Structures are given as structure tokens and as C-alpha cells.
Amino acid sequence: MTETTPSAELDAEDRKIITLARSARARNGVPEGAAVRDETGRTYVAGTVELDSLKLSALRTAVAMAVASGAKSLEAAAVVTEADTASEEDRAAVRDLGGSGTPVLVAGPDGALRGSVTAG
């Protein structure tokens, strides 16, 4: 993972989307929780979707919710996961809406920031 940022240096808005993502994961008992912040500061929160006919990661679900709500761009994204980094598919979804420079914060289940990568 590149561009690692210690959690002490995160601004309040980035801490907020990590907290929202962690809450979604815990509340729904799913493998991942995610949150994205759009260009107006609105946030969209989601958990992993696991249906017989539809499987989406939490981050792709949060991006889809932002698009469905009319977001034009993303400022940042966060995912709370056991994985070491965001998958290429997740980063591609963030990149499609937010551009290649959009930061994707990756935190562990305890909410501790593991690192930050760009969507690009």
C-alpha cells in the first residue's frame, strides 16, 4: 500500500467516514463496511452485499449509492476490512466517479488506519 498516513494526521472528515464504515460493518455483521464522501460533503455508507443473484463489495455498494443519489464526484472513500488494501475492482469504482487521485482509506476492523491509496 502506498501513501500511508498515520491516523493522528487524518482530518475530521476522513475520521468520520472511517467511523461510518466501521459502524456499517459491525451493525450489519458483514465482512466489510465502506463510506464515500461526495463533492458536496454528503456521505454514503454501505456494507457488503451477498445475495444469490448479486454480490458487491461494501465500497462498490457505497459508490453505487452515491451515483444513484446524484453525486457527480467523490472527495474520499474508506473501507473497513480484514484485507491489507482495497481491491483493484473497488479502486476502479472509486476512480470512475472520483478520478484517479481520489484517496481510498483502508482501515482494519478496529478502525485503525492501515494506509491510504489513490483510486488510480
Side-chain angles (χ1 to χ4, degrees), residues 7-24:
S7 61
E9 295 179 19
L10 286 176
D11 69 25
E13 291 301 310
D14 288 346
R15 281 194 302 273
K16 175 183 170 184
I17 61 173
I18 289 173
T19 299
L20 290 169
R22 185 174 182 224
S23 296

PDB file of all heavy atoms in Angstrom, residues 7-24:
ATOM      1  N   SER A   7      -3.127   7.716  11.495  1.00  0.00           N
ATOM      2  CA  SER A   7      -4.486   8.166  11.801  1.00  0.00           C
ATOM      3  C   SER A   7      -4.503   9.472  12.583  1.00  0.00           C
ATOM      4  O   SER A   7      -5.472  10.209  12.511  1.00  0.00           O
ATOM      5  CB  SER A   7      -5.261   7.082  12.547  1.00  0.00           C
ATOM      6  OG  SER A   7      -4.638   6.772  13.756  1.00  0.00           O
ATOM      7  N   ALA A   8      -3.439   9.773  13.317  1.00  0.00           N
ATOM      8  CA  ALA A   8      -3.391  11.030  14.057  1.00  0.00           C
ATOM      9  C   ALA A   8      -3.407  12.228  13.114  1.00  0.00           C
ATOM     10  O   ALA A   8      -3.805  13.309  13.505  1.00  0.00           O
ATOM     11  CB  ALA A   8      -2.147  11.075  14.932  1.00  0.00           C
ATOM     12  N   GLU A   9      -2.972  12.028  11.873  1.00  0.00           N
ATOM     13  CA  GLU A   9      -2.923  13.120  10.912  1.00  0.00           C
ATOM     14  C   GLU A   9      -4.182  13.217  10.051  1.00  0.00           C
ATOM     15  O   GLU A   9      -4.280  14.100   9.210  1.00  0.00           O
ATOM     16  CB  GLU A   9      -1.692  12.963  10.012  1.00  0.00           C
ATOM     17  CG  GLU A   9      -0.392  13.101  10.768  1.00  0.00           C
ATOM     18  CD  GLU A   9       0.812  12.914   9.878  1.00  0.00           C
ATOM     19  OE1 GLU A   9       0.680  13.035   8.645  1.00  0.00           O
ATOM     20  OE2 GLU A   9       1.888  12.642  10.407  1.00  0.00           O
ATOM     21  N   LEU A  10      -5.123  12.309  10.238  1.00  0.00           N
ATOM     22  CA  LEU A  10      -6.359  12.366   9.471  1.00  0.00           C
ATOM     23  C   LEU A  10      -7.190  13.559   9.906  1.00  0.00           C
ATOM     24  O   LEU A  10      -7.276  13.864  11.093  1.00  0.00           O
ATOM     25  CB  LEU A  10      -7.186  11.102   9.684  1.00  0.00           C
ATOM     26  CG  LEU A  10      -6.707   9.845   8.995  1.00  0.00           C
ATOM     27  CD1 LEU A  10      -7.591   8.682   9.413  1.00  0.00           C
ATOM     28  CD2 LEU A  10      -6.711  10.008   7.495  1.00  0.00           C
ATOM     29  N   ASP A  11      -7.833  14.200   8.935  1.00  0.00           N
ATOM     30  CA  ASP A  11      -8.727  15.286   9.321  1.00  0.00           C
ATOM     31  C   ASP A  11     -10.047  14.698   9.821  1.00  0.00           C
ATOM     32  O   ASP A  11     -10.305  13.497   9.693  1.00  0.00           O
ATOM     33  CB  ASP A  11      -8.908  16.289   8.195  1.00  0.00           C
ATOM     34  CG  ASP A  11      -9.685  15.770   6.996  1.00  0.00           C
ATOM     35  OD1 ASP A  11     -10.490  14.828   7.139  1.00  0.00           O
ATOM     36  OD2 ASP A  11      -9.500  16.319   5.906  1.00  0.00           O
ATOM     37  N   ALA A  12     -10.864  15.531  10.381  1.00  0.00           N
ATOM     38  CA  ALA A  12     -12.116  15.087  10.999  1.00  0.00           C
ATOM     39  C   ALA A  12     -13.046  14.410  10.003  1.00  0.00           C
ATOM     40  O   ALA A  12     -13.712  13.425  10.332  1.00  0.00           O
ATOM     41  CB  ALA A  12     -12.822  16.273  11.658  1.00  0.00           C
ATOM     42  N   GLU A  13     -13.099  14.908   8.778  1.00  0.00           N
ATOM     43  CA  GLU A  13     -13.991  14.324   7.770  1.00  0.00           C
ATOM     44  C   GLU A  13     -13.537  12.928   7.363  1.00  0.00           C
ATOM     45  O   GLU A  13     -14.366  12.046   7.111  1.00  0.00           O
ATOM     46  CB  GLU A  13     -14.099  15.246   6.554  1.00  0.00           C
ATOM     47  CG  GLU A  13     -14.842  16.534   6.844  1.00  0.00           C
ATOM     48  CD  GLU A  13     -16.269  16.298   7.343  1.00  0.00           C
ATOM     49  OE1 GLU A  13     -17.015  15.526   6.714  1.00  0.00           O
ATOM     50  OE2 GLU A  13     -16.638  16.899   8.366  1.00  0.00           O
ATOM     51  N   ASP A  14     -12.227  12.698   7.287  1.00  0.00           N
ATOM     52  CA  ASP A  14     -11.728  11.365   6.962  1.00  0.00           C
ATOM     53  C   ASP A  14     -11.947  10.404   8.124  1.00  0.00           C
ATOM     54  O   ASP A  14     -12.322   9.245   7.925  1.00  0.00           O
ATOM     55  CB  ASP A  14     -10.249  11.413   6.566  1.00  0.00           C
ATOM     56  CG  ASP A  14     -10.037  12.039   5.200  1.00  0.00           C
ATOM     57  OD1 ASP A  14     -11.024  12.192   4.435  1.00  0.00           O
ATOM     58  OD2 ASP A  14      -8.881  12.387   4.885  1.00  0.00           O
ATOM     59  N   ARG A  15     -11.757  10.872   9.341  1.00  0.00           N
ATOM     60  CA  ARG A  15     -12.052  10.030  10.504  1.00  0.00           C
ATOM     61  C   ARG A  15     -13.533   9.658  10.523  1.00  0.00           C
ATOM     62  O   ARG A  15     -13.902   8.537  10.867  1.00  0.00           O
ATOM     63  CB  ARG A  15     -11.672  10.739  11.803  1.00  0.00           C
ATOM     64  CG  ARG A  15     -10.180  10.681  12.104  1.00  0.00           C
ATOM     65  CD  ARG A  15      -9.863  11.089  13.537  1.00  0.00           C
ATOM     66  NE  ARG A  15     -10.331  12.431  13.874  1.00  0.00           N
ATOM     67  CZ  ARG A  15      -9.642  13.550  13.664  1.00  0.00           C
ATOM     68  NH1 ARG A  15      -8.447  13.497  13.129  1.00  0.00           N
ATOM     69  NH2 ARG A  15     -10.144  14.716  14.004  1.00  0.00           N
ATOM     70  N   LYS A  16     -14.370  10.599  10.126  1.00  0.00           N
ATOM     71  CA  LYS A  16     -15.817  10.364  10.106  1.00  0.00           C
ATOM     72  C   LYS A  16     -16.176   9.236   9.147  1.00  0.00           C
ATOM     73  O   LYS A  16     -16.959   8.349   9.509  1.00  0.00           O
ATOM     74  CB  LYS A  16     -16.553  11.644   9.699  1.00  0.00           C
ATOM     75  CG  LYS A  16     -18.042  11.483   9.533  1.00  0.00           C
ATOM     76  CD  LYS A  16     -18.676  12.791   9.063  1.00  0.00           C
ATOM     77  CE  LYS A  16     -20.112  12.605   8.665  1.00  0.00           C
ATOM     78  NZ  LYS A  16     -20.683  13.853   8.137  1.00  0.00           N
ATOM     79  N   ILE A  17     -15.616   9.222   7.932  1.00  0.00           N
ATOM     80  CA  ILE A  17     -16.020   8.159   7.002  1.00  0.00           C
ATOM     81  C   ILE A  17     -15.463   6.803   7.429  1.00  0.00           C
ATOM     82  O   ILE A  17     -16.098   5.779   7.180  1.00  0.00           O
ATOM     83  CB  ILE A  17     -15.715   8.484   5.517  1.00  0.00           C
ATOM     84  CG1 ILE A  17     -14.241   8.697   5.243  1.00  0.00           C
ATOM     85  CG2 ILE A  17     -16.566   9.658   5.037  1.00  0.00           C
ATOM     86  CD1 ILE A  17     -13.894   8.857   3.758  1.00  0.00           C
ATOM     87  N   ILE A  18     -14.325   6.779   8.110  1.00  0.00           N
ATOM     88  CA  ILE A  18     -13.829   5.504   8.653  1.00  0.00           C
ATOM     89  C   ILE A  18     -14.777   5.018   9.750  1.00  0.00           C
ATOM     90  O   ILE A  18     -15.139   3.840   9.799  1.00  0.00           O
ATOM     91  CB  ILE A  18     -12.385   5.631   9.166  1.00  0.00           C
ATOM     92  CG1 ILE A  18     -11.417   5.793   7.994  1.00  0.00           C
ATOM     93  CG2 ILE A  18     -12.004   4.409  10.015  1.00  0.00           C
ATOM     94  CD1 ILE A  18      -9.980   6.085   8.392  1.00  0.00           C
ATOM     95  N   THR A  19     -15.204   5.919  10.617  1.00  0.00           N
ATOM     96  CA  THR A  19     -16.131   5.550  11.696  1.00  0.00           C
ATOM     97  C   THR A  19     -17.456   5.053  11.122  1.00  0.00           C
ATOM     98  O   THR A  19     -18.007   4.046  11.591  1.00  0.00           O
ATOM     99  CB  THR A  19     -16.374   6.750  12.632  1.00  0.00           C
ATOM    100  OG1 THR A  19     -15.124   7.122  13.208  1.00  0.00           O
ATOM    101  CG2 THR A  19     -17.377   6.428  13.719  1.00  0.00           C
ATOM    102  N   LEU A  20     -17.970   5.722  10.106  1.00  0.00           N
ATOM    103  CA  LEU A  20     -19.218   5.289   9.473  1.00  0.00           C
ATOM    104  C   LEU A  20     -19.061   3.914   8.835  1.00  0.00           C
ATOM    105  O   LEU A  20     -19.954   3.067   8.937  1.00  0.00           O
ATOM    106  CB  LEU A  20     -19.670   6.314   8.430  1.00  0.00           C
ATOM    107  CG  LEU A  20     -20.168   7.647   8.977  1.00  0.00           C
ATOM    108  CD1 LEU A  20     -20.336   8.656   7.850  1.00  0.00           C
ATOM    109  CD2 LEU A  20     -21.462   7.453   9.744  1.00  0.00           C
ATOM    110  N   ALA A  21     -17.936   3.690   8.169  1.00  0.00           N
ATOM    111  CA  ALA A  21     -17.682   2.396   7.535  1.00  0.00           C
ATOM    112  C   ALA A  21     -17.596   1.290   8.578  1.00  0.00           C
ATOM    113  O   ALA A  21     -18.152   0.196   8.409  1.00  0.00           O
ATOM    114  CB  ALA A  21     -16.395   2.459   6.717  1.00  0.00           C
ATOM    115  N   ARG A  22     -16.908   1.572   9.663  1.00  0.00           N
ATOM    116  CA  ARG A  22     -16.774   0.586  10.745  1.00  0.00           C
ATOM    117  C   ARG A  22     -18.139   0.273  11.348  1.00  0.00           C
ATOM    118  O   ARG A  22     -18.456  -0.883  11.643  1.00  0.00           O
ATOM    119  CB  ARG A  22     -15.818   1.123  11.802  1.00  0.00           C
ATOM    120  CG  ARG A  22     -15.538   0.121  12.891  1.00  0.00           C
ATOM    121  CD  ARG A  22     -14.471   0.640  13.836  1.00  0.00           C
ATOM    122  NE  ARG A  22     -14.187  -0.359  14.837  1.00  0.00           N
ATOM    123  CZ  ARG A  22     -14.050  -0.101  16.114  1.00  0.00           C
ATOM    124  NH1 ARG A  22     -14.140   1.143  16.564  1.00  0.00           N
ATOM    125  NH2 ARG A  22     -13.796  -1.070  16.963  1.00  0.00           N
ATOM    126  N   SER A  23     -18.954   1.283  11.536  1.00  0.00           N
ATOM    127  CA  SER A  23     -20.294   1.088  12.093  1.00  0.00           C
ATOM    128  C   SER A  23     -21.160   0.233  11.183  1.00  0.00           C
ATOM    129  O   SER A  23     -21.896  -0.640  11.663  1.00  0.00           O
ATOM    130  CB  SER A  23     -20.977   2.438  12.327  1.00  0.00           C
ATOM    131  OG  SER A  23     -20.282   3.175  13.294  1.00  0.00           O
ATOM    132  N   ALA A  24     -21.094   0.463   9.876  1.00  0.00           N
ATOM    133  CA  ALA A  24     -21.879  -0.330   8.921  1.00  0.00           C
ATOM    134  C   ALA A  24     -21.473  -1.791   8.976  1.00  0.00           C
ATOM    135  O   ALA A  24     -22.312  -2.697   8.951  1.00  0.00           O
ATOM    136  CB  ALA A  24     -21.711   0.211   7.508  1.00  0.00           C
TER     137      ALA A  24
END
